[in-house]
Amino acid sequence: MAISLIMAMSSCSGDDLPLYKDAGAPVEKRVEDLLSRMTLEEKVGQMNQFVGVEHIRKNEASLSEEDLHNNTAQAFYPGFNADSVETWTRQGLVGSFLHVITAEEADYLQSLAMKSRLQIPLIFGIDAIHGNANAPDNTVYPTNIGLASTFDTDLAYRIARQTAKEMRAMNMHWTFNPNVEVARDPRWGRCGETYGEDPYLVSRMGYSTVKGYQADFGHDGVLACIKHFVGGGQSENGTNGAPAEISERTLREVFFPPFKEGTEAGAMSVMMAHNELNGIPCHSNEWLMEDVLRGEWGFKGFVVSDWMDIEHLHDLHATAENIKEAFYQSIMAGMDMHMHGVYWNEYVCELVREGRIPESRIDRSVRKILEMKFRLGLFEQPYSDSEEGMKTRLCPEHRNTALEAARKSIVLLKNDGLLPLDPKKYRKVLVTGINADDHNILGDWSAEQKPENVITVLEGLRAVSPETEFVFVDQSWDPRNMSPAKVDEAARKAVDCDLCIVVAGEYMFRGRWTERTSGEDTDRSDIELVGLQNDLIRKVAASGKPTVLILVSGRPLGTEWAAEHLPALINAWEPGMYGGQAITEILYGKVNPSAKLPISIPRSAGQIRMIYNHKPSQYFHPYVLGESTPLYPFGYGLSYTSYDYSDLTLDKDETTSDGVVKVSVTITNSGHMAGDEIVQLYIRDRFSRITRPVKELKDFVRIHLEPGESKVAVFEITPDKLAFLNRNFNPVVEPGEFIVMVGPSSSDKDLLKKSFTVK
Ligand code: BGC
């Protein structure tokens, strides 16, 4: 250690600027120059993350060791303290931080890194899942499930671009998003941070998001991280991090494509999944990291572990006898960076000195991490420009986009003609429910935001319909501890009102980690409304007054009773800072709803896994009691106008396995309100050697139509949309019949159909 340090320092002597500090030199040369000056300890340090010191200090005072083990939102390091982490940073032994939520702290930690021998800047990572919402005073967009409901990839791109700018304004460079897991189990609390159940839609949203974040790493680009690789969206029993038993076919057909697309979009980091996959933890899974990700897809970035998951090879999965062995297994399987904590530097250096891990293997990881730091311009600009930053964060353009996204993300599930509401008819309106006047509409992965930056539903109602008298009965935020007296009060007051609005759902706020009912690590054994919420809905509706139910939730909820008995039902997901405004604008018809479900809504947990793209034999024997169809299918969502689909035309009835078929369809707005329609194209391979789903989404387009207006949507069916993986997992297009289905949802009754043949 002493010798390598002296040698490294001597090569840095003299007045000459070392090559790696020369902004004009090519990145590869800078990387090699810097690497050649680094000690083993400095290299291994680059591969390590810590949580921010403010975060550590807060938790040192309040958390137990048990919390540390169980709570993935909090951390500290028993036996060490925040000062130790500062010292290591000053010594150049830390590569990255996460959970730093102010520009001041980021700049402070960076200033420590700038005191280290080689002045290698830190890279700050943050879960900027829907805007940089985990830090205060940033624009909070709808969460990913809402964004997916817009089917608007351009919007996804713009939100990612704006988020990157707000992040850079705070000296944050790396977002742990997009989450491109395919969510196939609504019991899983993380559905809300995904783009839903369909591999194609998830891929398209993920692709645009990666492009928007990175933007070729100009001064306002950030590093994207596609996560979690892989299978967490279909874990055993729907609990986060539970084992995933998924066949290689299903992995390749359903769970891999969004990651492959993300790699093609240029994502330069990937996070591994908590879970074991078919018996091998993802964090020590060489097949995933080396063979598939790097080998098959040519991934050029670095792989980061998820929260303490390398340690979990020892203390949870028990594939490693001790932590040092766990580090060994993970690195040798392809891991590059450790999230997060102590012992990494000591044990990994030992493993290299013992000859178990070649130093060249360490160099490979460090090269990638340094390359990103150079490409992000961190050597030239290690600090934030706070004045500039405040101009960017929450700027009017970003706020408008948050509002636009909320408006486009809210799904109208049922409307018996009650909506849009007529304020002249409904003068006195009861408003109640846990989400009626709560910042919970911000969704999971949001810090507390200032009240002036959030519009709750009640605030939205009062602003959008000032002539209406709103009678508010507060049910407080906590669904688990609702007051029966308050429920009865709402029922009583409903009788005197003309209409009732119940804003129910889940509670996701991270600040109340153990009390919430949905979100990360918050899985459920059913998908019913929690607590007295069903009582509230039924008792209010028993008043005989028309009752609208609005659901705020990241996961689909089985509200079968409400769907049957209430005249109107809205699924608002987690709509973000302007959720209350957008919901109200839809209620009052200022905005025409256009969103479509990116995930099927089952009637109950017993129906799980309820997916639209199931195999033909799935319901050969339907359930003997209860339905075999979902409450609402994938792709479904109503509007205040009506759209007629006609003239589905294929430009040929026969093609070859490398041919292209053009599909066109006319959509007419036959109602009285302008609106956006999301036109969906599904394909079924009629006969094939390997069983194929009953339908698969292969394209979509959002079109705007004025009343009476018609437009022709045109799609191209290229060979990749017809191909499936043969027995050896090679893509093939088999000759035979293909059915093309176009319409407003995945439901058979909504789709126009035509066939063509591949010769
Ligand atoms: C989550 C990741 C997240 C990380 C850092 C983990 O618990 O699974 O998605 O990026 O924490 O906050």
Side-chain angles (χ1 to χ4, degrees), residues 72 98-99 127 176 190 227-228 271 274 306-307 520:
T72 52
L98 78 157
H99 286 1
D127 293 278
F176 302 133
R190 304 191 80 162
K227 73 182 189 185
H228 310 81
M271 189 185 293
H274 293 315
D306 200 350
W307 188 275
E520 187 195 9

Side-chain angles (χ1 to χ4, degrees), residues 611-650:
I611 49 172
Y612 86 93
N613 48 357
H614 57 76
K615 293 294 181 70
S617 56
Q618 180 69 55
Y619 301 110
F620 178 53
H621 298 296
Y623 292 122
V624 63
L625 294 174
E627 304 288 326
S628 299
T629 52
L631 187 56
Y632 294 107
F634 176 86
Y636 170 85
L638 301 174
S639 158
Y640 292 149
T641 193
S642 47
Y643 301 106
D644 294 342
Y645 283 67
S646 59
D647 298 332
L648 176 63
T649 313
L650 311 184

Side-chain angles (χ1 to χ4, degrees), residues 49 71-73 98-99 126-127 129 134 176-177 179 181 190 193 225 227-228 240 271-272 274 305-309 339-340 445 510 513 520-521:
Q49 280 194 312
N71 187 328
T72 52
L98 78 157
H99 286 1
I126 189 162
D127 293 278
I129 311 292
N134 244 2
F176 302 133
N177 199 49
N179 182 335
E181 289 189 84
R190 304 191 80 162
E193 61 180 282
C225 183
K227 73 182 189 185
H228 310 81
N240 195 32
M271 189 185 293
M272 298 311 286
H274 293 315
S305 70
D306 200 350
W307 188 275
M308 307 310 276
D309 274 322
M339 179 198 287
H340 55 96
W445 294 107
R510 293 180 87 77
W513 185 261
E520 187 195 9
D521 295 343

